[in-house]
Amino acid sequence: MARGNTRQRIQDVALDLFAEQGYEKTSLREIAERLDVTKAALYYHFKTKEDILVGIFEDLTRPMDELIAWAEEQPRTLETRQEVLRRYQVALRAAAPLFRFMQENQATVRELSVGLTFKERMLALTALIQEPDFATVDQVRCVSAIFTLHAGTFFMQNIEGDPEEKHRATLEVALDLLNQAHRAS
């Protein structure tokens, strides 16, 4: 098996275990056993649980980084901001397992190096969809648009209905908030 595939398998299994029993209660030994490899084989790729988590985080948040870089190169128009929300929803859906882990293990994430970088990404993303001179209520609308996408990705699964329809509805509400903020300012 190629190194990249082994790394990916380790990350997938670790994330499953972290979600099942919590980050703190999962050991490298358990990850190795679930993979049916030796701890030495696991150590070849990752020295610590945090290294595994950082690797997962980097892989799943790369689309977020690419989105921020793309948006920074675009004109600061409403259309660009709408596209940021559309692309962010796609990135969120792809990274759903990681975000579920972060939601369920908030105390752990705050202690790890990944916590700060996520906060920095959220601040950068928020800055890209609003203007500094927006009224407070419109800044709240812009931040709420982003968190509407989070809610739609993670909490709408408990609501009956077609998943695609729920994602479309979530995006529509987020765009409405963004459009309202821009009309008011």
Side-chain angles (χ1 to χ4, degrees):
M1 181 175 287
R3 184 163 196 253
N5 292 341
T6 301
R7 275 183 70 84
Q8 189 61 55
R9 272 188 57 228
I10 292 168
Q11 290 173 331
D12 290 346
V13 165
L15 193 54
D16 287 346
L17 282 168
F18 295 160
E20 281 172 30
Q21 57 195 37
Y23 176 81
E24 298 299 333
K25 294 179 181 164
T26 302
S27 69
L28 287 173
R29 180 187 50 74
E30 289 171 300
I31 296 168
E33 285 174 2
R34 176 82 58 102
L35 285 162
D36 200 26
V37 300
T38 64
K39 261 178 79 174
L42 189 65
Y43 279 131
Y44 176 75
H45 297 282
F46 299 100
K47 302 292 182 238
T48 66
K49 285 192 305 184
E50 184 172 358
D51 289 345
I52 296 171
L53 188 58
V54 168
I56 293 166
F57 189 87
E58 287 171 351
D59 289 351
L60 292 178
T61 57
R62 192 167 295 116
M64 233 176 125
D65 294 338
E66 291 167 359
L67 171 58
I68 291 167
W70 172 84
E72 287 172 342
E73 298 297 316
Q74 303 305 309
R76 293 188 63 87
T77 63
L78 177 58
E79 291 73 24
T80 297
R81 292 173 171 124
Q82 291 167 338
E83 186 61 19
V84 166
L85 288 181
R86 286 185 194 94
R87 291 181 182 206
Y88 186 56
Q89 184 182 44
V90 170
L92 271 178
R93 290 176 72 183
L98 174 65
F99 286 102
R100 254 185 235 105
F101 162 79
M102 290 174 66
Q103 181 67 31
E104 293 165 11
N105 295 274
Q106 289 179 26
T108 299
V109 170
R110 273 193 296 276
E111 302 294 318
L112 300 174
S113 62
V114 296
L116 180 59
T117 55
F118 181 72
K119 182 179 179 184
E120 290 166 350
R121 282 180 178 93
M122 292 309 304
L123 292 171
L125 200 58
T126 302
L128 287 166
I129 65 166
Q130 64 184 353
E131 292 295 334
D133 63 346
F134 272 13
T136 303
V137 69
D138 294 317
Q139 290 180 31
V140 171
R141 284 184 178 111
C142 290
V143 170
S144 297
I146 290 174
F147 286 97
T148 294
L149 296 178
H150 285 228
T153 302
F154 308 112
F155 302 111
M156 293 298 287
Q157 65 213 16
N158 301 322
I159 295 174
E160 290 295 317
D162 174 57
E164 289 307 312
E165 186 179 330
K166 291 188 286 188
H167 286 295
R168 281 192 301 273
T170 299
L171 180 60
E172 183 180 326
V173 170
L175 289 170
D176 284 349
L177 285 164
L178 180 70
N179 295 340
Q180 201 174 353
H182 282 266
R183 274 194 302 273
S185 293

